[in-house]
Amino acid sequence: MLDAAVRYAEERHWDVCPGTWLEAVEGAERCSCGDTGCAAPGAHPSGPDWAGRATGSGAAARRMWSRRPKASILLPTGHAFDTIDVPESAGFMALARMERMGLPLGPVTHSPDRRVHFFVLPGAAAKSEGLVRKLGWQAAAIDLTARGEGAYVTGPPTRIGGYGTVQWVRRPTAANRWLPDAEELISPLAYACAREAADTRDRSR
């Protein structure tokens, strides 16, 4: 966790913030927040002031994770990047299509809650709803979400309780340092989400 957090700060110039972590309690793992019903055990902010504790300094990140080596890695959105989050099946469908089309892509993560997160330029959260509406859909209806200022994504290799580990689908590399704008990805993402939503409705009938 320490190495990953330092790498994000030093190599990508991303802000990082330590979140909660998993603790062994009576033979079971529980979130450090103490809530036995925690929805994201070991992988959420440890307090309301979490954003103010985020740092883009590799040295500061090293100090933070040296004190809490098991702390999850939170990557604040709205500064270096926003994310567009879609359901797992729609995300992989859209990713395959975008690769065939040769569209520029940034890093992409897959989380244990079966969501795929596409890293894009900041500002996506403010305009994604309008972009989806122009294509004829409502973002909420097709389960497409954008995260910007005040939000975060969980960075690999954070483990979320017994659900699994956040993983890179497309790792951060020198080749994808320059992130795409939301406009470049929104059409294939919205199409895949709308198709998945329609398939889900059909299966429920």
Side-chain angles (χ1 to χ4, degrees):
M1 301 299 286
L2 184 153
D3 289 344
V6 171
R7 188 165 61 250
Y8 297 150
E10 291 185 342
E11 296 181 7
R12 300 298 290 203
H13 305 294
W14 291 345
D15 284 351
V16 294
C17 178
T20 55
W21 57 93
L22 295 171
E23 297 178 327
V25 180
E26 297 178 351
E29 285 188 321
R30 294 182 183 173
C31 185
S32 61
C33 72
D35 181 1
T36 56
C38 182
H44 63 83
S46 57
D49 62 337
W50 70 273
R53 292 187 285 110
T55 180
S57 162
R62 187 175 298 278
R63 288 194 299 271
M64 288 177 173
W65 269 271
S66 293
R67 291 194 295 266
R68 294 290 187 188
K70 296 191 295 182
S72 53
I73 301 174
L74 308 182
L75 303 174
T77 50
H79 302 288
F81 59 85
D82 282 5
T83 64
I84 301 176
D85 308 352
V86 298
E88 177 182 74
S89 55
F92 286 119
M93 180 195 306
L95 181 59
R97 184 181 181 198
M98 289 187 282
E99 288 176 338
R100 289 195 302 270
M101 295 168 66
L103 293 179
L105 289 166
V108 180
T109 64
H110 176 247
S111 53
D113 60 354
R114 303 183 68 179
R115 303 286 294 183
V116 179
H117 309 258
F118 291 78
F119 286 52
V120 294
L121 287 173
K127 59 188 176 184
S128 63
E129 176 67 43
L131 292 171
V132 173
R133 193 180 303 115
K134 286 181 180 179
L135 295 170
W137 296 295
Q138 296 292 325
I142 60 173
D143 200 10
L144 182 151
T145 304
R147 304 189 194 200
E149 185 74 31
Y152 66 92
V153 289
T154 309
T158 297
R159 186 162 62 89
I160 304 178
Y163 304 111
T165 303
V166 182
Q167 300 181 13
W168 288 113
V169 178
R170 290 178 61 92
R171 292 181 174 276
T173 66
N176 62 23
R177 180 173 296 278
W178 304 107
L179 300 176
D181 197 286
E183 282 95 334
E184 298 175 90
L185 308 187
I186 203 72
S187 180
L189 285 172
Y191 171 81
C193 286
R195 181 173 171 180
E196 171 66 15
D199 289 346
T200 300
R201 287 194 300 270
D202 290 343
R203 288 194 297 267
S204 65
R205 289 174 182 170

